[in-house]
Amino acid sequence: MGGTVSAERGSMSRLLVWAAPDEVSERSVRLSLRRWMSRCGDGFDRVADTWSQPVQGAVRGAVVASSGPEAVQALDLERPGVVLGRPAPELAPVALLLPGEGAQHHRMAVGIYRHDPVATEAIDEVLDLMGAEGDRVRADWLAEAPLLSPHHPMRALPMVFAVDYALAKVLLAWGIRPGVLVGQGVGELAAAVLAGVVSLPDAVDMLVAVAFELLAAPAGGALAVAAGAAEAAPHLDREVSLAADNGPGQIIVSGVDGALRRTEQSLRAVGISCMRVRAEAAYRSNVAVPACDAGMDALRGKLLRPPTWPLLSTTTAAPVSAEEATDPAFWAYQASRPVRLRETLNLLFAGGGYRCITAGPGQGLASLVRRHVAVATGASSVSSLLCARPRNADDDRRTVLAEAARLWASGYPVDLEQVHRLA
């Protein structure tokens, strides 16, 4: 079963905030905080508590640190490591992006488990719904030497889903209200749960059914290909399918191992670069159809509702309609359909600027979004709640706190008391 939230802090990272009426006053306040930190000795947490409360002012500042000396260095005016901002009269709407299978890595998000109560409860809720299998998934996820790889379908699918769902719940607890949800792969199912389309128990039942059936599928994987879908099409066959169109010259193809090797050789023979992607199943291909049949059986007869939040589907590159949302096949067969991320982002940014936040493991999805012209030109922005490859558990907490710092400094209505529950 799940764990409890730790009350220990030790050298864990903390978020400190301040504000002032103007830039000159802000520098003075920052110097005052730096003096406090230079004298705090072993009392870092006590001083951090004093500087962790909501404050008012036209200029906001924040810093993430785990000790007095680190805070002193970050607060140096000559080489600042702080986040500064002025709340804008109109804030860009938030687009919450939820990554899918392929984003997983060893011990992803363990730094917030048992430290953030909202994330802990959400992850435990997902895994507890899986019964004994959920206990095995949790044990492997937390283990330094897991029995199964994080890329195994019975580890990748439930854990990416659980981490996506948990981080989204953290943002909601902070008071962030997304203007739109965009899920990629299994992240689209997490988005459907958040939008009230499908209940969490029904979503988990379907996910487990798909994952179990994938174990019986022929061994497969995926290739990242530096080409467009049309250019790569002549090199594909019935056993290798387009799995994702992520951007200009950025596609993923998937299929059974033997056919995938032939495709790789064919692409390289004409000078198209490609490389194997870490995957232990042929997601988003014809091979996954029997697994989707099992997902359909699990979801048939279950109550589905129209979304209460705007959803953009990366399988259709369009808003999810009420008819689609209440059709079990729309959700059950997603694992056999390609992700059309490039078209989805074009549609998203055609509606104006967004502050995109990826709530899930890694930064692969954020990297793809960052290459879009809307982000490259500054019309929109993207950030991640987790780092790509944490060196230790505290790296997860630092990245989460850094996002809270950016949101608060920009003027978003962040409930700092909720943020400080990450302890």
Side-chain angles (χ1 to χ4, degrees):
M1 299 296 290
T4 58
V5 177
S6 171
E8 299 178 4
R9 278 181 176 166
S11 60
M12 287 172 51
S13 296
R14 304 287 307 278
L15 173 65
L16 292 76
V17 298
W18 63 93
D22 51 51
E23 283 79 1
V24 173
S25 300
E26 184 279 324
R27 288 171 64 90
S28 177
V29 173
R30 202 186 330 164
L31 285 172
S32 176
L33 172 56
R34 193 168 189 266
R35 285 192 293 271
W36 275 57
M37 283 296 168
S38 65
R39 298 194 296 263
C40 73
D42 294 332
F44 170 74
D45 282 331
R46 185 181 66 255
V47 177
D49 285 340
T50 303
W51 289 83
S52 66
Q53 304 306 311
V55 287
Q56 300 298 317
V59 181
R60 292 182 175 187
V63 69
V64 176
S66 60
S67 67
E70 182 187 4
V72 169
Q73 183 176 19
L75 292 162
D76 189 334
L77 295 182
E78 299 304 318
R79 48 176 184 178
V82 303
V83 176
L84 296 176
R86 275 183 172 269
E90 288 190 24
L91 297 169
V94 170
L96 183 57
L97 311 182
L98 303 167
E101 60 277 6
Q104 69 275 359
H105 59 83
H106 180 52
R107 289 173 59 83
M108 55 187 173
V110 295
I112 61 172
Y113 185 63
R114 297 179 180 147
H115 291 280
D116 184 282
V118 173
T120 302
E121 180 180 3
I123 291 174
D124 284 341
E125 189 178 6
V126 172
L127 299 183
D128 289 349
L129 285 168
M130 296 175 62
E133 185 59 37
D135 293 339
R136 289 188 283 271
V137 172
R138 183 188 289 106
D140 258 9
W141 169 52
L142 297 174
E144 290 290 349
L147 295 176
L148 295 178
S149 157
H151 308 293
H152 187 281
M154 192 48 73
R155 298 297 179 263
L157 293 179
M159 279 313 308
V160 172
F161 176 88
V163 171
D164 283 5
Y165 177 68
L167 291 177
K169 296 285 277 188
V170 167
L171 277 174
L172 294 175
W174 289 357
I176 301 300
R177 293 294 177 264
V180 63
L181 304 177
V182 184
Q184 179 193 41
V186 72
E188 191 156 328
L189 182 61
V193 173
L194 294 165
V197 172
V198 58
S199 72
L200 183 64
D202 290 345
V204 171
D205 283 348
M206 190 195 85
L207 192 65
V208 170
V210 170
F212 267 125
E213 192 64 31
L214 281 172
L215 300 182
L223 281 174
V225 182
E231 187 180 3
H235 305 274
L236 310 184
D237 58 30
R238 188 175 57 84
E239 294 182 301
V240 178
S241 309
L242 174 68
D245 184 353
N246 291 326
Q250 304 170 72
I251 66 168
I252 304 290
V253 300
S254 67
V256 298
D257 281 340
L260 203 60
R261 284 193 294 271
R262 292 194 299 272
T263 296
E264 182 176 6
Q265 292 168 357
S266 178
L267 289 166
R268 292 186 185 279
V270 296
I272 297 177
S273 298
C274 56
M275 62 179 293
R276 288 297 292 258
V277 174
R278 289 185 177 180
E280 295 185 14
Y283 301 111
R284 307 280 155 184
S285 74
N286 297 330
V287 179
V289 171
C292 294
D293 292 339
M296 183 67 184
D297 290 341
L299 204 56
R300 187 178 284 112
K302 300 298 176 65
L303 178 62
L304 301 176
R305 304 176 181 85
T308 57
W309 239 315
L311 287 176
L312 277 187
S313 170
T314 55
T315 56
T316 63
V320 177
S321 67
E323 292 74 21
E324 289 171 326
T326 53
D327 179 3
F330 181 82
W331 304 106
Y333 287 93
Q334 288 205 358
S336 64
R337 301 170 185 153
V339 170
R340 298 162 62 184
L341 182 64
R342 176 176 57 85
E343 295 174 67
T344 305
L345 293 178
N346 289 342
L347 177 64
L348 173 68
F349 295 130
Y354 277 92
R355 186 183 189 107
C356 301
I357 304 175
T358 57
Q363 294 195 359
L365 179 54
S367 296
L368 293 172
V369 177
R370 197 168 288 117
R371 297 171 189 169
H372 194 280
V373 63
V375 177
T377 59
S380 292
S381 64
V382 62
S383 56
S384 301
L385 274 179
L386 292 179
C387 54
R389 289 291 183 270
R391 296 163 299 176
N392 52 56
D394 193 51
D395 279 354
D396 286 332
R397 295 187 286 270
R398 292 183 74 91
T399 312
V400 170
L401 292 174
E403 181 61 20
R406 288 188 291 267
L407 288 167
W408 182 81
S410 298
Y412 286 85
V414 176
D415 185 338
L416 291 178
E417 290 188 6
Q418 286 289 335
V419 175
H420 295 314
R421 295 179 73 189
L422 178 58

